[in-house]
Amino acid sequence: MVTFVDRVTLHLRAGKGGNGCVSVRREKFKPLAGPDGGNGGHGGDVVLVADPQVTTLLSYHHSPHRHAGNGGFGMGDHRSGAAGESLELPVPVGTVVKDAAGQTLADLITPGMRLVVAPGGQGGLGNAALASPKRKAPGFALLGTPGWEGDVQLELKTVADVALVGYPSAGKSSLIAAISAARPKIADYPFTTLHPNLGVVEAGDVRFTVADVPGLIEGASEGRGLGLEFLRHVERCTALVHVLDCATLEPGRDPLSDLDVILAELAAYPVPDGQVPLLERPQLVALNKVDVPEARDLADLVRPDIEARGFRVFEISAVSRAGLRPLTFALAEIVAAHRAAAAAAPAPERVVIRPRGAERDFEVRIEGGTYGNVYRILGAKPVRWVQQTDFQNEEAVGFLADRLEKLGVEDELFRVGATAGSTVVIGEGDGIVFDWHPSLSSAAELMTAPRGTDPRLDLSTRRTSSQRRERYHERMDAKAEARAELEAERLAGRRDEEDRDDR
């Protein structure tokens, strides 16, 4: 049964914004007292919160699909829809959030940090909000936009002061159980520890956390064993403790060779930019299992060689607890010195991110098609406006045309060579496809038409009264000319007959 998960993919869906309402207020003696449709509510966000009470991503491993609440629809009498309920997901402190492509979005290393990873959709405006001096009674409202939907990756990197590293069965789990209240699984076979264990240690007035990292073997940085899966839990530690097994019975192994292998694997593991390399951090060596007589003799033999490399060496026994107090106080000194240096260092400059408009709100991309060029309009505003448009309502479509024209889309289409009837697509993929007619760029506010209609979209070929009158006069004139020609021919024929009779 899985009890610890430090990497998971979440499938998130933020809430959809509610649609705006189309409504007209009706009073006594005032059947049309003005628009009063309310706005739709915004969709709920999905928020990640760094919670120190959470230690694993296990719950998201079993239930990776999460979604926030949708916004309510607007209603008449200026009643706006309810905002969708946001969803807060607690994650362990030290969680790295990445997008589906693996790009880091945030590093939640401080308790209480919040990240809106999936913003909710925007609620649509009702016809009351769309009213203006030129458009006093809109017969349409804007639809709510869909919320963000996609995958994010969560990767846990343990936040601890000290990391215990070493070969499998070197006694790391026994050591953390002896110096703290942690109770990891302990057995006499390799890879007993399958996930990092955390323990809190008190040495004098210093309290610090110790992480027991699953055993490393040669080639761990290249994917052998379990080390590569958990080396990232060492990245945030202040100090490292090399736990060396002095009582191993495996042939070809001794504390010196084990230390060389572990140092090589730590050197081969790349740390993120801005962090101190693993081998440049304070390191101590703990020669474990000295309660065994042969192990104590071996520890006395190798200790001078290890100290000659510049390491502080402690002979310990997790069973008899020999040497544990000096080791914990030495680690407390390192942790206290690091904390004091961090407190004395100048506070990093606070980065304030201010939203800034893009240089261009849209772009027109020309794509080849079977029946000619296709002009694709890309940009946040055009795509959002299309999502807000009810294409069953002619007035709403006309409002979209006005917005695009004011944004400069018409001029840009002219500039890139589009002509009347060209295929235009708004958005990626299939998007919204329509045949472009430049006549749609005239201002709809200056036109009079029933609510919910737009005369620019009326494709009827019915002739007006003046056109029918003009056509009637043309037919009458043509008939008069035809009768005059027939009368002239008749008279000419009569004259010919008279001339023949005279002869």
Side-chain angles (χ1 to χ4, degrees):
M1 178 179 178
V2 179
T3 58
F4 179 84
V5 174
D6 61 352
R7 184 180 292 172
V8 71
T9 299
L10 286 181
H11 312 286
L12 304 178
R13 185 179 76 247
K16 181 182 182 299
N19 298 339
C21 176
V22 181
S23 175
V24 176
R25 183 176 179 83
R26 289 171 172 80
E27 301 176 357
K28 189 175 182 179
F29 306 117
K30 281 188 177 181
L32 299 176
D36 65 347
N39 302 332
H42 298 306
D45 302 328
V46 179
V47 186
L48 299 179
V49 183
D51 188 349
Q53 302 300 322
V54 180
T55 59
T56 180
L57 301 173
L58 181 62
S59 59
Y60 306 122
H61 172 74
H62 294 303
S63 302
H65 296 268
R66 302 298 177 100
H67 59 86
N70 297 327
F73 289 2
M75 294 171 284
D77 199 14
H78 300 282
R79 292 175 294 173
S80 297
E85 184 178 359
S86 295
L87 177 66
E88 292 190 358
L89 302 178
V91 296
V93 177
T95 300
V96 178
V97 186
K98 301 180 179 180
D99 59 16
Q103 297 294 326
T104 300
L105 301 177
D107 194 353
L108 307 179
I109 60 176
T110 304
M113 286 186 65
R114 301 169 62 87
L115 173 66
V116 180
V117 67
Q122 181 176 342
L125 298 178
N127 66 338
L130 295 173
S132 65
K134 295 182 179 180
R135 192 194 298 268
K136 296 183 178 181
F140 69 100
L142 299 184
L143 306 180
T145 61
W148 187 89
E149 183 175 0
D151 298 342
V152 295
Q153 301 175 9
L154 303 183
E155 183 178 293
L156 175 59
K157 295 182 179 180
T158 304
V159 179
D161 298 302
V162 179
L164 304 180
V165 296
Y167 259 77
S169 299
K172 301 183 296 300
S173 299
S174 301
L175 176 57
I176 196 173
I179 63 178
S180 71
R183 292 296 176 263
K185 181 180 179 181
I186 300 174
D188 58 352
Y189 57 85
F191 298 112
T192 306
T193 303
L194 298 178
H195 58 80
N197 298 300
L198 284 179
V200 179
V201 181
E202 291 189 9
D205 57 352
V206 180
R207 175 181 293 185
F208 57 93
T209 56
V210 178
D212 165 25
V213 181
L216 304 179
I217 63 175
E218 186 174 3
S221 61
E222 300 175 356
R224 293 188 59 192
L226 300 177
L228 179 62
E229 293 295 322
F230 300 103
L231 267 175
R232 62 177 174 274
H233 293 281
V234 186
E235 291 181 8
R236 306 186 190 277
C237 296
T238 302
L240 304 178
V241 177
H242 299 277
V243 182
L244 303 180
D245 186 0
C246 293
T248 180
L249 300 178
E250 296 184 21
R253 279 188 54 193
D254 60 79
L256 290 177
S257 62
D258 289 356
L259 180 61
D260 292 335
V261 170
I262 299 303
L263 291 176
E265 296 306 318
L266 294 178
Y269 181 77
V271 298
D273 296 337
Q275 295 190 15
V276 180
L278 298 182
L279 294 187
E280 296 182 12
R281 304 180 188 184
Q283 302 176 65
L284 302 180
V285 174
L287 299 176
N288 196 17
K289 304 181 182 179
V290 295
D291 56 298
V292 180
E294 294 81 359
R296 177 170 291 277
D297 295 338
L298 182 58
D300 294 336
L301 179 64
V302 301
R303 178 168 185 167
D305 295 335
I306 297 177
E307 289 178 341
R309 298 187 182 187
F311 296 101
R312 293 180 61 184
V313 181
F314 297 85
E315 297 181 5
I316 64 170
S317 171
V319 176
S320 65
R321 298 179 180 270
L324 296 185
R325 182 178 175 83
L327 175 62
T328 56
F329 273 84
L331 291 174
E333 292 179 4
I334 296 175
V335 172
H338 179 267
R339 291 175 180 174
E349 182 180 356
R350 185 176 180 182
V351 179
V352 179
I353 301 177
R354 294 182 174 86
R356 182 178 58 182
E359 295 181 0
R360 297 193 60 185
D361 294 323
F362 70 95
E363 64 173 340
V364 177
R365 189 172 64 198
I366 303 176
E367 301 176 355
T370 306
Y371 302 100
N373 290 336
V374 175
Y375 300 88
R376 187 179 298 274
I377 302 173
L378 302 175
K381 284 186 177 180
V383 172
R384 184 176 72 249
W385 292 346
V386 165
Q387 294 173 344
Q388 295 176 327
T389 301
D390 179 10
F391 286 93
Q392 303 301 319
N393 187 302
E394 294 182 1
E395 191 176 355
V397 177
F399 181 70
L400 171 64
D402 295 337
R403 301 175 88 178
L404 294 176
E405 191 274 333
K406 292 177 182 178
L407 188 63
V409 173
E410 296 281 346
D411 296 336
E412 184 65 15
L413 288 173
F414 273 119
R415 190 188 67 80
V416 298
T419 58
S422 297
T423 301
V424 176
V425 183
I426 300 180
E428 293 285 0
D430 294 338
I432 299 298
V433 184
F434 60 92
D435 295 333
W436 179 55
H437 295 283
S439 60
L440 292 179
S441 63
S442 57
E445 292 86 350
L446 303 179
M447 298 183 180
T448 58
R451 289 187 307 112
T453 63
D454 193 308
R456 296 171 298 169
L457 301 178
D458 186 6
L459 302 180
S460 174
T461 58
R462 183 178 179 181
R463 291 171 297 180
T464 62
S465 298
S466 59
Q467 290 175 336
R468 290 196 299 270
R469 188 181 301 110
E470 182 180 356
R471 180 59 178 166
Y472 172 78
H473 290 314
E474 290 177 356
R475 288 200 304 269
M476 294 299 100
D477 293 341
K479 290 181 179 180
E481 292 178 0
R483 285 195 296 268
E485 291 179 359
L486 291 176
E487 182 64 19
E489 291 178 359
R490 186 180 65 80
L491 293 176
R494 181 180 296 178
R495 292 194 196 97
D496 292 340
E497 292 179 357
E498 293 177 351
D499 292 340
R500 282 197 299 270
D501 294 340
D502 293 340
R503 295 183 187 137

